[in-house]
Amino acid sequence: MCGIVGYVGVHDAIPILIRGLQKLEYRGYDSAGVTFLENDRLRVIKKKGRIKILDETLQELGYNTSPEHAQEGRICLGMGHTRWATHGAPSDENAHPHLSDQRHVCVIHNGIIENHLELKTFLVERGAHFVSETDSEVVAHLIEYHYLTNCNADIFSAVQAALLEIEGSYALVVLCTEHPDLLIAAKKDNPLIIGYGSDANYVASDIPALIEYTRDVLIVEDNEIAIIRKDSVHLFTVHGQVVERDSFRVDWDAEAAEKGGFEHFMMKEIFEEPTAVKATISSRIRANRIVLDGFPLDREKILRAPRIHFVACGTAYHAGCVGKNIVEKLCRIPVEVDVASEFRYKDPIITEDSIVIIISQSGETIDTLAAMREAKRRGALTISIVNVVGSSIARESDYVLYTAAGPEISVASTKAYLTQLSCIYLVAFEMANLIGTITTTEYEYYIREMIRIPDMISQMLEKQSEIQKFASEHFNAKSIFFIGRGLDYFLSMEASLKLKEISYIHSEAYPGGELKHGTIALIEKGTLVVCSLTQDRLMEKMISNISEVKARGAVVLGITMEDKQNAIRSCDETFTIPVIDPLLAPMLAVTPCQLFAYYMAVNKGCDVDKPRNLAKSVTVE
Ligand code: G6P
């Protein structure tokens, strides 16, 4: 996700900002910018593309960007930002920092302002001019509005007033031209830290940005605001009460710092799942209704479609498999799911009434892109579910629904899969509601269930050591089978892929009832079978399938809900997930499977983040 660096001190700010941004490059970004005060004059310089381009632009303008030549005194206050696009494509205008109309206020922001459209309307009616397509720009105008109208030019009160009106998530740093000695920082649901230096203080989204300068760090908590000067930091709640909290000493090395203290990006990304799911769904749920801006489907269009298609590769394909099951169940419309490399060559039955949903984390997978072009050529309406804003698939599809996973660095996809599922559920609920195949009561019930998911994932992550222990006992397995029925089968496909990708252990996913038609011949004493048991309707059948493999000597790990006692009894080991409507169970059951793959790979000493033979984004056929 986006990167933030701010500096207030005695040295040249620009080299420190550029260096800090470079240290955050691993988070992924598509544009970068800085702002600073030079003789009380505010400068904002921002560029689409790599930090190198920003650096060169600054040098062309005569600024020193090299830390070796940093001197005392000239430009001592500033902030920098790397942007990972969420609202509005990557461009110079959409890059941060964002300025208010009268240039009193400049902001950098990570997160999503959910009510930005309402706030923008309010501000435009009062004369504000917006120059970007971002949700973040609204924050600069809103703070300036309060600064000039009801806060008596008190910047702290103006930030406070703005925060009380903002809905959504933020890590925010604010520079006010009339206060050349301070930065104001605030946080809710997005990381923000303050670093204490000897002649300077720092603010950043992440430790690597400031580890070169200080290891004395304070973590800002949700709903707190800090006033940062070169020789002091004052922390308050959003309501103005003073907060006292000690800083702590960071003893990570620079590499560990990039991974947020986790050993691998994959683990860091699994731990980001609650935030990623929340960010994907919360801005699209209002007053217990799903709000998909500009959604191109209405009742007639859906009912006219002979079929709905999901097309994708790898993990995204597995999200599409879950999608097929969900959409067919809720909408009673036939759904086909295709691997993109097959779809494009199979002469697909697509008409002008077809709806094709394309899923891709990167938005650049060549097979998926080509499949989408083929669907468009045949006249279908294409809807994409994509993580990378402005990517080829996002640009070329008729409608794009962005997942808010943030950059995913580990090759094995984890949080992106969950955000893809999140979007699929929202689309399925919305379509079923539009065509009346679910009642309003059911629609509202599913939305309420969906909102509970991020906290439930957090609960499961707290007991990840159970999976760690199980993996430490079984990592020598030569072959592992994942079985399940209905949604549990589609989930098993993803669980099996994850294990293969990173631990190189052979594994297969099978529908529980199909094993006996051949594959059960491979089960022998000690064979590990991971069994997903979340579907009430199919529980008894699955328990029979467990008996079949146990009778042949298998060791069974069951993944089931806390209330499914029968299932728990029939497995050798169980990992329980919180109780949720079975329709949404894949959103919970996948996390333990990802953890299982992770610990199996770690125990085997594999290179978890960069598995052999694999690439994060496959742009060759
Ligand atoms: C590669 C990656 C997979 C990913 C697939 C599709 O094979 O290794 O992890 O699922 O591409 O990628 P996409 O970016 O289109 O979701």
Side-chain angles (χ1 to χ4, degrees):
M1 251 162 286
C2 313
I4 280 180
V5 196
Y7 174 81
V8 200
V10 299
H11 285 102
D12 239 355
I14 298 172
I16 294 166
L17 299 178
I18 293 291
R19 186 90 181 127
L21 293 180
Q22 284 165 345
K23 290 286 169 193
L24 296 176
E25 274 192 302
Y26 72 93
R27 295 162 69 97
Y29 67 102
D30 46 55
S31 53
V34 289
T35 185
F36 47 87
L37 279 176
E38 186 177 22
N39 303 327
D40 292 344
R41 196 165 74 96
L42 187 72
R43 297 294 315 258
V44 177
I45 295 154
K46 48 189 195 170
K47 287 278 161 200
K48 177 182 168 184
R50 315 304 297 168
I51 294 169
K52 197 165 169 287
I53 302 175
L54 174 70
D55 188 337
E56 284 163 6
T57 311
L58 283 160
Q59 289 183 44
E60 279 161 23
L61 292 168
Y63 294 106
N64 165 38
T65 60
S66 152
E68 290 82 59
H69 304 120
Q71 337 145 346
E72 290 208 357
R74 213 162 72 84
I75 297 164
C76 303
L77 175 100
M79 55 194 199
H81 187 268
T82 44
R83 173 173 186 253
W84 165 270
T86 56
H87 290 65
S91 68
D92 290 357
E93 293 73 31
N94 290 337
H96 297 215
H98 289 291
L99 261 172
S100 61
D101 258 335
Q102 299 183 42
R103 299 177 72 90
H104 290 289
V105 174
C106 195
V107 301
I108 52 178
H109 165 234
N110 292 355
I112 296 175
I113 307 297
E114 286 163 14
N115 58 341
H116 70 107
L117 290 176
E118 285 156 57
L119 292 171
K120 183 171 175 179
T121 308
F122 170 86
L123 291 159
V124 168
E125 278 167 7
R126 280 150 191 82
H129 297 96
F130 280 72
V131 293
S132 79
E133 303 156 285
T134 65
D135 54 325
S136 308
E137 188 185 349
V138 83
V139 183
H141 293 291
L142 187 63
I143 295 173
E144 183 175 80
Y145 167 76
H146 286 297
Y147 185 71
L148 296 178
T149 55
N150 50 24
C151 289
N152 207 13
D154 173 351
I155 187 64
F156 181 78
S157 309
V159 174
Q160 238 184 328
L163 293 184
L164 292 172
E165 288 171 359
I166 285 171
E167 287 168 24
S169 60
Y170 50 80
L172 198 67
V173 188
V174 181
L175 188 156
C176 176
T177 34
E178 281 86 34
H179 293 85
D181 62 330
L182 61 86
L183 293 172
I184 295 189
K187 167 206 147 73
K188 182 169 171 268
D189 290 336
N190 257 272
L192 193 71
I193 55 168
I194 291 171
Y196 295 92
S198 54
D199 48 16
N201 287 314
Y202 307 80
V203 58
S205 47
D206 213 347
I207 290 171
L210 41 80
I211 205 164
E212 255 178 56
Y213 309 106
T214 176
R215 287 178 170 268
D216 196 5
V217 166
L218 178 102
I219 307 234
V220 184
E221 299 283 354
D222 279 353
N223 302 311
E224 288 180 353
I225 314 184
I227 303 178
I228 306 162
R229 295 188 171 85
K230 73 170 188 289
D231 45 13
S232 69
V233 173
H234 291 103
L235 197 61
F236 303 89
T237 67
V238 72
H239 298 290
Q241 279 104 16
V242 173
V243 176
E244 305 274 359
R245 194 167 46 253
D246 290 338
S247 59
F248 73 99
R249 190 142 183 90
V250 176
D251 49 16
W252 301 335
D253 61 23
E255 200 195 329
E258 284 187 3
K259 293 172 188 152
F262 291 97
E263 204 180 325
H264 299 99
F265 280 111
M266 181 174 172
M267 198 52 149
K268 175 171 181 271
E269 286 159 6
I270 292 174
F271 271 79
E272 285 168 354
E273 285 175 351
T275 317
V277 171
K278 197 168 177 190
T280 303
I281 61 176
S282 61
S283 60
R284 293 171 171 138
I285 296 176
R286 284 289 160 85
N288 217 21
R289 299 203 69 77
I290 295 165
V291 183
L292 302 174
D293 289 335
F295 193 55
L297 298 181
D298 55 20
R299 185 183 151 79
E300 283 64 44
K301 176 85 195 152
I302 300 168
L303 291 175
R304 243 192 353 256
R307 263 185 184 67
I308 292 173
H309 299 256
F310 283 100
V311 182
C313 300
T315 289
Y317 167 72
H318 291 153
C321 292
V322 174
K324 171 183 162 68
N325 196 293
I326 303 292
V327 173
E328 285 186 342
K329 181 171 169 26
L330 294 177
C331 304
R332 312 308 301 159
I333 298 173
V335 179
E336 272 193 38
V337 54
D338 277 291
V339 165
S341 55
E342 289 295 311
F343 178 89
R344 52 186 293 206
Y345 297 117
K346 76 170 198 181
D347 191 9
I349 305 172
I350 295 285
T351 69
E352 287 180 357
D353 288 328
S354 301
I355 299 168
V356 178
I357 304 179
I358 312 286
I359 312 166
S360 174
Q361 186 284 127
S362 61
E364 300 295 349
T365 303
I366 196 74
D367 282 323
T368 313
L369 179 61
M372 186 184 74
R373 287 178 177 157
E374 181 60 22
K376 280 190 89 167
R377 201 179 63 76
R378 291 174 186 243
L381 175 85
T382 52
I383 296 177
S384 65
I385 296 176
V386 173
N387 196 37
V388 179
V389 174
S391 55
S392 304
I393 293 173
R395 284 198 315 273
E396 291 186 30
S397 57
D398 296 307
Y399 178 76
V400 55
L401 205 58
Y402 283 115
T403 53
E408 196 178 58
I409 293 165
S410 182
V411 168
S413 183
T414 52
K415 59 176 179 168
Y417 171 78
L418 264 171
T419 58
Q420 288 161 354
L421 286 189
S422 306
C423 287
I424 290 169
Y425 278 103
L426 292 181
V427 167
F429 297 151
E430 191 54 16
M431 288 199 307
N433 181 46
L434 284 169
I435 60 175
T437 44
I438 54 173
T439 61
T440 307
T441 314
E442 286 168 324
Y443 174 68
E444 290 179 357
Y445 158 75
Y446 285 131
I447 294 172
R448 283 197 305 275
E449 285 289 274
M450 194 80 189
I451 294 170
R452 295 167 62 213
I453 284 173
D455 285 344
M456 291 177 158
I457 301 174
S458 302
Q459 281 170 38
M460 288 189 299
L461 290 172
E462 278 170 25
K463 48 178 199 158
Q464 49 121 351
S465 57
E466 293 178 24
I467 298 278
Q468 184 176 16
K469 180 169 175 292
F470 188 80
S472 70
E473 290 158 4
H474 293 278
F475 69 94
N476 284 323
K478 292 281 167 282
S479 187
I480 299 179
F481 294 85
F482 288 83
I483 60 171
R485 286 176 178 243
L487 281 169
D488 283 328
Y489 167 55
F490 299 117
L491 168 88
S492 299
M493 289 165 73
E494 174 55 12
S496 170
L497 176 67
K498 215 69 336 174
L499 182 78
K500 281 181 277 211
E501 281 180 312
I502 60 170
S503 75
Y504 318 140
I505 297 173
H506 167 257
S507 117
E508 289 187 41
Y510 258 82
E514 182 63 12
L515 210 60
K516 58 183 172 292
H517 298 294
T519 312
I520 203 163
L522 297 175
I523 307 284
E524 52 188 15
K525 191 164 183 313
T527 305
L528 185 58
V529 177
V530 179
C531 181
S532 226
L533 296 128
T534 64
Q535 304 298 302
D536 289 329
R537 232 167 27 92
L538 302 165
M539 194 59 72
E540 291 312 315
K541 298 285 172 210
M542 267 319 294
I543 289 174
S544 302
N545 297 141
I546 291 176
S547 303
E548 287 161 13
V549 292
K550 285 196 69 167
R552 282 144 185 96
V555 175
V556 177
L557 166 66
I559 295 173
T560 190
M561 286 187 210
E562 278 154 8
D563 63 345
K564 309 244 174 316
Q565 294 309 320
N566 285 346
I568 290 169
R569 269 195 292 275
S570 58
C571 302
D572 296 288
E573 301 261 1
T574 46
F575 182 87
T576 55
I577 63 173
V579 179
I580 186 107
D581 187 284
L583 191 79
L584 286 152
M587 292 283 300
L588 297 183
V590 74
T591 304
C593 297
Q594 295 165 344
L595 289 167
F596 176 65
Y598 173 81
Y599 282 118
M600 294 294 269
V602 168
N603 276 302
K604 288 190 69 189
C606 301
D607 186 351
V608 174
D609 285 332
K610 292 196 189 75
R612 70 186 182 206
N613 307 344
L614 301 183
K616 183 72 186 158
S617 176
V618 181
T619 50
V620 290
E621 285 186 36

